[in-house]
Amino acid sequence: MLANLYFVFLYKFKIIMTKLSVNINKIATLRNSRGGNVPDLLKVAKDIQQFGADGITIHPRPDERHIRYQDARDLKSVVYTEYNIEGNPQHNFIDLVLECKPTQVTLVPDAIGALTSNAGWDTIKHQSYLVEVIQEFQRNGIRTSIFVDADEKMIEGAKATGTERIELYTESFAHEYGLGNKSGIEPYVKAAIKANELGLGINAGHDLSLENIKFFKDNIPGLLEVSIGHALISESLYLGLENVVNMYLQKLR
């Protein structure tokens, strides 16, 4: 009864508990650089959850340069929080997601040879394709999210695909914030307001860090989840993984 009243309170007063999903791609990159199994990706995923993170994110690419497809399968039995698999919905990726059945699949339009994700979907141009893919995932009980730029038209296009959520591509915000330009948050605020109006859940990711995460979270209405990898793992080299995970949790809550 008390738990139910608590969540009613959160909903009534629009208090959003932003979740932290840790992207462990960089752990796999380090492992692959020497072969073998050091560091142990599965153990790191277990530890991150024990440290308090709300989920684990991976982004397997066709060349398997960090996360391997077998990693995605192996993690299924390890991740007891939210399991998020990101990627371009090509045939092999779709098959992998349907096999693993994660909590969420995040659709990212990255090119095969891309160093990292560098743009959101054109949800108008690719709408029919996204509708088809999203329906397949939803038929299998997998929540969908579309990686998009902070553009209200792209948000509207995302709504038309039937997706449950969007993930705001935050590189531009992070760059501007690093230059001291806090007005770089403004397109993201507008995009979030539009998403809220349309009933879309809001995730965010790319270049979010301990430096900028609190400002971003405090200004984005309805932010449900952030996915952070490169910065979090890099910061952990100096501050320790458990410490950094908890620092993010403190800034988000």
Side-chain angles (χ1 to χ4, degrees), residues 155-182:
I155 307 298
E156 292 171 349
K159 175 63 176 179
T161 68
T163 189
E164 292 99 331
R165 294 191 185 186
I166 56 167
E167 178 173 327
L168 293 173
Y169 170 42
T170 51
E171 181 181 17
S172 175
F173 156 74
H175 176 72
E176 293 298 324
Y177 188 89
L179 296 175
N181 179 18
K182 293 185 178 180

PDB file of all heavy atoms in Angstrom, residues 155-182:
ATOM      1  N   ILE A 155      10.723  14.403 -33.773  1.00  0.00           N
ATOM      2  CA  ILE A 155       9.968  13.853 -32.649  1.00  0.00           C
ATOM      3  C   ILE A 155       8.562  13.464 -33.115  1.00  0.00           C
ATOM      4  O   ILE A 155       8.056  12.377 -32.794  1.00  0.00           O
ATOM      5  CB  ILE A 155       9.868  14.869 -31.486  1.00  0.00           C
ATOM      6  CG1 ILE A 155      11.248  15.393 -31.080  1.00  0.00           C
ATOM      7  CG2 ILE A 155       9.138  14.241 -30.300  1.00  0.00           C
ATOM      8  CD1 ILE A 155      12.197  14.374 -30.578  1.00  0.00           C
ATOM      9  N   GLU A 156       7.942  14.328 -33.877  1.00  0.00           N
ATOM     10  CA  GLU A 156       6.617  14.037 -34.417  1.00  0.00           C
ATOM     11  C   GLU A 156       6.661  12.818 -35.336  1.00  0.00           C
ATOM     12  O   GLU A 156       5.765  11.970 -35.317  1.00  0.00           O
ATOM     13  CB  GLU A 156       6.080  15.251 -35.164  1.00  0.00           C
ATOM     14  CG  GLU A 156       5.756  16.427 -34.243  1.00  0.00           C
ATOM     15  CD  GLU A 156       5.426  17.700 -35.003  1.00  0.00           C
ATOM     16  OE1 GLU A 156       5.657  17.733 -36.235  1.00  0.00           O
ATOM     17  OE2 GLU A 156       4.937  18.664 -34.368  1.00  0.00           O
ATOM     18  N   GLY A 157       7.720  12.736 -36.144  1.00  0.00           N
ATOM     19  CA  GLY A 157       7.887  11.576 -37.014  1.00  0.00           C
ATOM     20  C   GLY A 157       8.063  10.298 -36.215  1.00  0.00           C
ATOM     21  O   GLY A 157       7.547   9.238 -36.591  1.00  0.00           O
ATOM     22  N   ALA A 158       8.776  10.397 -35.094  1.00  0.00           N
ATOM     23  CA  ALA A 158       8.968   9.229 -34.237  1.00  0.00           C
ATOM     24  C   ALA A 158       7.636   8.745 -33.680  1.00  0.00           C
ATOM     25  O   ALA A 158       7.372   7.544 -33.619  1.00  0.00           O
ATOM     26  CB  ALA A 158       9.935   9.564 -33.103  1.00  0.00           C
ATOM     27  N   LYS A 159       6.801   9.680 -33.275  1.00  0.00           N
ATOM     28  CA  LYS A 159       5.487   9.306 -32.741  1.00  0.00           C
ATOM     29  C   LYS A 159       4.690   8.496 -33.773  1.00  0.00           C
ATOM     30  O   LYS A 159       4.019   7.511 -33.428  1.00  0.00           O
ATOM     31  CB  LYS A 159       4.707  10.572 -32.363  1.00  0.00           C
ATOM     32  CG  LYS A 159       3.274  10.324 -31.898  1.00  0.00           C
ATOM     33  CD  LYS A 159       3.231   9.491 -30.626  1.00  0.00           C
ATOM     34  CE  LYS A 159       1.795   9.332 -30.126  1.00  0.00           C
ATOM     35  NZ  LYS A 159       1.731   8.496 -28.901  1.00  0.00           N
ATOM     36  N   ALA A 160       4.805   8.883 -35.037  1.00  0.00           N
ATOM     37  CA  ALA A 160       4.047   8.213 -36.101  1.00  0.00           C
ATOM     38  C   ALA A 160       4.525   6.786 -36.355  1.00  0.00           C
ATOM     39  O   ALA A 160       3.806   6.000 -36.971  1.00  0.00           O
ATOM     40  CB  ALA A 160       4.135   9.033 -37.387  1.00  0.00           C
ATOM     41  N   THR A 161       5.727   6.448 -35.880  1.00  0.00           N
ATOM     42  CA  THR A 161       6.237   5.083 -36.089  1.00  0.00           C
ATOM     43  C   THR A 161       5.635   4.084 -35.102  1.00  0.00           C
ATOM     44  O   THR A 161       5.749   2.873 -35.296  1.00  0.00           O
ATOM     45  CB  THR A 161       7.767   5.029 -35.936  1.00  0.00           C
ATOM     46  OG1 THR A 161       8.118   5.273 -34.563  1.00  0.00           O
ATOM     47  CG2 THR A 161       8.447   6.032 -36.851  1.00  0.00           C
ATOM     48  N   GLY A 162       5.068   4.581 -33.999  1.00  0.00           N
ATOM     49  CA  GLY A 162       4.529   3.695 -32.981  1.00  0.00           C
ATOM     50  C   GLY A 162       5.508   3.358 -31.871  1.00  0.00           C
ATOM     51  O   GLY A 162       5.193   2.562 -30.984  1.00  0.00           O
ATOM     52  N   THR A 163       6.709   3.953 -31.899  1.00  0.00           N
ATOM     53  CA  THR A 163       7.687   3.682 -30.842  1.00  0.00           C
ATOM     54  C   THR A 163       7.182   4.165 -29.488  1.00  0.00           C
ATOM     55  O   THR A 163       6.410   5.118 -29.403  1.00  0.00           O
ATOM     56  CB  THR A 163       9.040   4.353 -31.164  1.00  0.00           C
ATOM     57  OG1 THR A 163      10.033   3.906 -30.234  1.00  0.00           O
ATOM     58  CG2 THR A 163       8.955   5.869 -31.076  1.00  0.00           C
ATOM     59  N   GLU A 164       7.645   3.495 -28.424  1.00  0.00           N
ATOM     60  CA  GLU A 164       7.277   3.932 -27.078  1.00  0.00           C
ATOM     61  C   GLU A 164       8.150   5.084 -26.591  1.00  0.00           C
ATOM     62  O   GLU A 164       7.698   5.917 -25.813  1.00  0.00           O
ATOM     63  CB  GLU A 164       7.404   2.777 -26.075  1.00  0.00           C
ATOM     64  CG  GLU A 164       6.393   1.662 -26.272  1.00  0.00           C
ATOM     65  CD  GLU A 164       6.956   0.485 -27.035  1.00  0.00           C
ATOM     66  OE1 GLU A 164       7.872   0.679 -27.866  1.00  0.00           O
ATOM     67  OE2 GLU A 164       6.496  -0.636 -26.803  1.00  0.00           O
ATOM     68  N   ARG A 165       9.421   5.092 -27.036  1.00  0.00           N
ATOM     69  CA  ARG A 165      10.346   6.104 -26.552  1.00  0.00           C
ATOM     70  C   ARG A 165      11.223   6.653 -27.667  1.00  0.00           C
ATOM     71  O   ARG A 165      11.320   6.072 -28.744  1.00  0.00           O
ATOM     72  CB  ARG A 165      11.264   5.520 -25.455  1.00  0.00           C
ATOM     73  CG  ARG A 165      10.550   5.123 -24.182  1.00  0.00           C
ATOM     74  CD  ARG A 165      11.550   4.808 -23.075  1.00  0.00           C
ATOM     75  NE  ARG A 165      10.900   4.318 -21.873  1.00  0.00           N
ATOM     76  CZ  ARG A 165      11.523   4.076 -20.725  1.00  0.00           C
ATOM     77  NH1 ARG A 165      12.845   4.282 -20.637  1.00  0.00           N
ATOM     78  NH2 ARG A 165      10.856   3.628 -19.666  1.00  0.00           N
ATOM     79  N   ILE A 166      11.855   7.769 -27.346  1.00  0.00           N
ATOM     80  CA  ILE A 166      12.931   8.306 -28.178  1.00  0.00           C
ATOM     81  C   ILE A 166      14.180   8.402 -27.300  1.00  0.00           C
ATOM     82  O   ILE A 166      14.081   8.444 -26.073  1.00  0.00           O
ATOM     83  CB  ILE A 166      12.601   9.702 -28.736  1.00  0.00           C
ATOM     84  CG1 ILE A 166      12.257  10.671 -27.574  1.00  0.00           C
ATOM     85  CG2 ILE A 166      11.483   9.631 -29.760  1.00  0.00           C
ATOM     86  CD1 ILE A 166      12.213  12.121 -27.969  1.00  0.00           C
ATOM     87  N   GLU A 167      15.359   8.399 -27.942  1.00  0.00           N
ATOM     88  CA  GLU A 167      16.596   8.721 -27.234  1.00  0.00           C
ATOM     89  C   GLU A 167      17.187   9.956 -27.881  1.00  0.00           C
ATOM     90  O   GLU A 167      17.555   9.941 -29.067  1.00  0.00           O
ATOM     91  CB  GLU A 167      17.611   7.579 -27.279  1.00  0.00           C
ATOM     92  CG  GLU A 167      18.905   7.958 -26.564  1.00  0.00           C
ATOM     93  CD  GLU A 167      19.910   6.818 -26.422  1.00  0.00           C
ATOM     94  OE1 GLU A 167      19.460   5.661 -26.270  1.00  0.00           O
ATOM     95  OE2 GLU A 167      21.120   7.099 -26.468  1.00  0.00           O
ATOM     96  N   LEU A 168      17.275  11.035 -27.127  1.00  0.00           N
ATOM     97  CA  LEU A 168      17.831  12.278 -27.643  1.00  0.00           C
ATOM     98  C   LEU A 168      19.348  12.143 -27.789  1.00  0.00           C
ATOM     99  O   LEU A 168      20.039  11.752 -26.844  1.00  0.00           O
ATOM    100  CB  LEU A 168      17.501  13.435 -26.706  1.00  0.00           C
ATOM    101  CG  LEU A 168      16.012  13.824 -26.604  1.00  0.00           C
ATOM    102  CD1 LEU A 168      15.821  14.870 -25.508  1.00  0.00           C
ATOM    103  CD2 LEU A 168      15.501  14.351 -27.942  1.00  0.00           C
ATOM    104  N   TYR A 169      19.846  12.494 -28.985  1.00  0.00           N
ATOM    105  CA  TYR A 169      21.274  12.441 -29.294  1.00  0.00           C
ATOM    106  C   TYR A 169      21.905  13.717 -28.745  1.00  0.00           C
ATOM    107  O   TYR A 169      21.673  14.811 -29.250  1.00  0.00           O
ATOM    108  CB  TYR A 169      21.432  12.311 -30.800  1.00  0.00           C
ATOM    109  CG  TYR A 169      22.828  12.470 -31.342  1.00  0.00           C
ATOM    110  CD1 TYR A 169      23.921  11.907 -30.709  1.00  0.00           C
ATOM    111  CD2 TYR A 169      23.050  13.173 -32.534  1.00  0.00           C
ATOM    112  CE1 TYR A 169      25.195  12.046 -31.229  1.00  0.00           C
ATOM    113  CE2 TYR A 169      24.311  13.307 -33.066  1.00  0.00           C
ATOM    114  CZ  TYR A 169      25.383  12.746 -32.411  1.00  0.00           C
ATOM    115  OH  TYR A 169      26.647  12.880 -32.931  1.00  0.00           O
ATOM    116  N   THR A 170      22.732  13.593 -27.709  1.00  0.00           N
ATOM    117  CA  THR A 170      23.133  14.747 -26.905  1.00  0.00           C
ATOM    118  C   THR A 170      24.536  15.285 -27.182  1.00  0.00           C
ATOM    119  O   THR A 170      25.040  16.106 -26.406  1.00  0.00           O
ATOM    120  CB  THR A 170      23.011  14.399 -25.409  1.00  0.00           C
ATOM    121  OG1 THR A 170      23.685  13.164 -25.143  1.00  0.00           O
ATOM    122  CG2 THR A 170      21.553  14.262 -25.016  1.00  0.00           C
ATOM    123  N   GLU A 171      25.167  14.874 -28.264  1.00  0.00           N
ATOM    124  CA  GLU A 171      26.528  15.352 -28.533  1.00  0.00           C
ATOM    125  C   GLU A 171      26.582  16.871 -28.645  1.00  0.00           C
ATOM    126  O   GLU A 171      27.493  17.513 -28.116  1.00  0.00           O
ATOM    127  CB  GLU A 171      27.085  14.718 -29.805  1.00  0.00           C
ATOM    128  CG  GLU A 171      28.508  15.182 -30.107  1.00  0.00           C
ATOM    129  CD  GLU A 171      29.086  14.580 -31.378  1.00  0.00           C
ATOM    130  OE1 GLU A 171      28.298  14.059 -32.199  1.00  0.00           O
ATOM    131  OE2 GLU A 171      30.310  14.642 -31.544  1.00  0.00           O
ATOM    132  N   SER A 172      25.631  17.466 -29.351  1.00  0.00           N
ATOM    133  CA  SER A 172      25.632  18.916 -29.540  1.00  0.00           C
ATOM    134  C   SER A 172      25.524  19.643 -28.200  1.00  0.00           C
ATOM    135  O   SER A 172      26.244  20.617 -27.936  1.00  0.00           O
ATOM    136  CB  SER A 172      24.474  19.333 -30.462  1.00  0.00           C
ATOM    137  OG  SER A 172      24.397  20.738 -30.559  1.00  0.00           O
ATOM    138  N   PHE A 173      24.627  19.176 -27.348  1.00  0.00           N
ATOM    139  CA  PHE A 173      24.504  19.777 -26.013  1.00  0.00           C
ATOM    140  C   PHE A 173      25.820  19.690 -25.255  1.00  0.00           C
ATOM    141  O   PHE A 173      26.291  20.680 -24.676  1.00  0.00           O
ATOM    142  CB  PHE A 173      23.412  19.074 -25.201  1.00  0.00           C
ATOM    143  CG  PHE A 173      23.615  19.216 -23.724  1.00  0.00           C
ATOM    144  CD1 PHE A 173      23.360  20.424 -23.088  1.00  0.00           C
ATOM    145  CD2 PHE A 173      24.114  18.159 -22.962  1.00  0.00           C
ATOM    146  CE1 PHE A 173      23.593  20.574 -21.716  1.00  0.00           C
ATOM    147  CE2 PHE A 173      24.333  18.297 -21.602  1.00  0.00           C
ATOM    148  CZ  PHE A 173      24.080  19.507 -20.979  1.00  0.00           C
ATOM    149  N   ALA A 174      26.438  18.501 -25.247  1.00  0.00           N
ATOM    150  CA  ALA A 174      27.673  18.298 -24.492  1.00  0.00           C
ATOM    151  C   ALA A 174      28.787  19.209 -25.005  1.00  0.00           C
ATOM    152  O   ALA A 174      29.556  19.775 -24.223  1.00  0.00           O
ATOM    153  CB  ALA A 174      28.101  16.836 -24.571  1.00  0.00           C
ATOM    154  N   HIS A 175      28.871  19.351 -26.325  1.00  0.00           N
ATOM    155  CA  HIS A 175      29.895  20.212 -26.916  1.00  0.00           C
ATOM    156  C   HIS A 175      29.694  21.661 -26.480  1.00  0.00           C
ATOM    157  O   HIS A 175      30.645  22.331 -26.048  1.00  0.00           O
ATOM    158  CB  HIS A 175      29.847  20.097 -28.434  1.00  0.00           C
ATOM    159  CG  HIS A 175      30.795  21.016 -29.141  1.00  0.00           C
ATOM    160  ND1 HIS A 175      32.159  20.815 -29.150  1.00  0.00           N
ATOM    161  CD2 HIS A 175      30.577  22.157 -29.852  1.00  0.00           C
ATOM    162  CE1 HIS A 175      32.743  21.777 -29.831  1.00  0.00           C
ATOM    163  NE2 HIS A 175      31.815  22.608 -30.267  1.00  0.00           N
ATOM    164  N   GLU A 176      28.466  22.156 -26.598  1.00  0.00           N
ATOM    165  CA  GLU A 176      28.184  23.541 -26.229  1.00  0.00           C
ATOM    166  C   GLU A 176      28.390  23.776 -24.740  1.00  0.00           C
ATOM    167  O   GLU A 176      28.923  24.814 -24.327  1.00  0.00           O
ATOM    168  CB  GLU A 176      26.750  23.903 -26.626  1.00  0.00           C
ATOM    169  CG  GLU A 176      26.503  23.946 -28.126  1.00  0.00           C
ATOM    170  CD  GLU A 176      27.347  24.996 -28.824  1.00  0.00           C
ATOM    171  OE1 GLU A 176      27.579  26.077 -28.219  1.00  0.00           O
ATOM    172  OE2 GLU A 176      27.806  24.740 -29.958  1.00  0.00           O
ATOM    173  N   TYR A 177      27.987  22.816 -23.928  1.00  0.00           N
ATOM    174  CA  TYR A 177      28.152  22.956 -22.486  1.00  0.00           C
ATOM    175  C   TYR A 177      29.634  23.036 -22.125  1.00  0.00           C
ATOM    176  O   TYR A 177      30.038  23.818 -21.256  1.00  0.00           O
ATOM    177  CB  TYR A 177      27.497  21.776 -21.773  1.00  0.00           C
ATOM    178  CG  TYR A 177      27.444  21.927 -20.276  1.00  0.00           C
ATOM    179  CD1 TYR A 177      26.362  22.555 -19.657  1.00  0.00           C
ATOM    180  CD2 TYR A 177      28.474  21.439 -19.469  1.00  0.00           C
ATOM    181  CE1 TYR A 177      26.308  22.692 -18.277  1.00  0.00           C
ATOM    182  CE2 TYR A 177      28.428  21.574 -18.088  1.00  0.00           C
ATOM    183  CZ  TYR A 177      27.347  22.203 -17.500  1.00  0.00           C
ATOM    184  OH  TYR A 177      27.308  22.358 -16.130  1.00  0.00           O
ATOM    185  N   GLY A 178      30.456  22.241 -22.806  1.00  0.00           N
ATOM    186  CA  GLY A 178      31.895  22.266 -22.572  1.00  0.00           C
ATOM    187  C   GLY A 178      32.527  23.600 -22.923  1.00  0.00           C
ATOM    188  O   GLY A 178      33.569  23.972 -22.370  1.00  0.00           O
ATOM    189  N   LEU A 179      31.880  24.343 -23.821  1.00  0.00           N
ATOM    190  CA  LEU A 179      32.353  25.674 -24.201  1.00  0.00           C
ATOM    191  C   LEU A 179      31.806  26.761 -23.291  1.00  0.00           C
ATOM    192  O   LEU A 179      32.109  27.940 -23.469  1.00  0.00           O
ATOM    193  CB  LEU A 179      31.940  25.981 -25.649  1.00  0.00           C
ATOM    194  CG  LEU A 179      32.545  25.082 -26.739  1.00  0.00           C
ATOM    195  CD1 LEU A 179      31.952  25.439 -28.099  1.00  0.00           C
ATOM    196  CD2 LEU A 179      34.063  25.198 -26.771  1.00  0.00           C
ATOM    197  N   GLY A 180      30.974  26.348 -22.325  1.00  0.00           N
ATOM    198  CA  GLY A 180      30.370  27.318 -21.421  1.00  0.00           C
ATOM    199  C   GLY A 180      29.062  27.889 -21.919  1.00  0.00           C
ATOM    200  O   GLY A 180      28.528  28.833 -21.326  1.00  0.00           O
ATOM    201  N   ASN A 181      28.531  27.322 -22.989  1.00  0.00           N
ATOM    202  CA  ASN A 181      27.299  27.826 -23.589  1.00  0.00           C
ATOM    203  C   ASN A 181      26.114  26.980 -23.110  1.00  0.00           C
ATOM    204  O   ASN A 181      25.737  26.003 -23.744  1.00  0.00           O
ATOM    205  CB  ASN A 181      27.397  27.789 -25.113  1.00  0.00           C
ATOM    206  CG  ASN A 181      26.140  28.287 -25.786  1.00  0.00           C
ATOM    207  OD1 ASN A 181      25.323  28.962 -25.162  1.00  0.00           O
ATOM    208  ND2 ASN A 181      25.983  27.966 -27.057  1.00  0.00           N
ATOM    209  N   LYS A 182      25.507  27.392 -22.017  1.00  0.00           N
ATOM    210  CA  LYS A 182      24.399  26.621 -21.459  1.00  0.00           C
ATOM    211  C   LYS A 182      23.123  26.728 -22.285  1.00  0.00           C
ATOM    212  O   LYS A 182      22.204  25.922 -22.106  1.00  0.00           O
ATOM    213  CB  LYS A 182      24.148  27.057 -20.014  1.00  0.00           C
ATOM    214  CG  LYS A 182      25.289  26.694 -19.073  1.00  0.00           C
ATOM    215  CD  LYS A 182      24.960  27.032 -17.634  1.00  0.00           C
ATOM    216  CE  LYS A 182      26.101  26.610 -16.710  1.00  0.00           C
ATOM    217  NZ  LYS A 182      25.795  26.928 -15.292  1.00  0.00           N
TER     218      LYS A 182
END
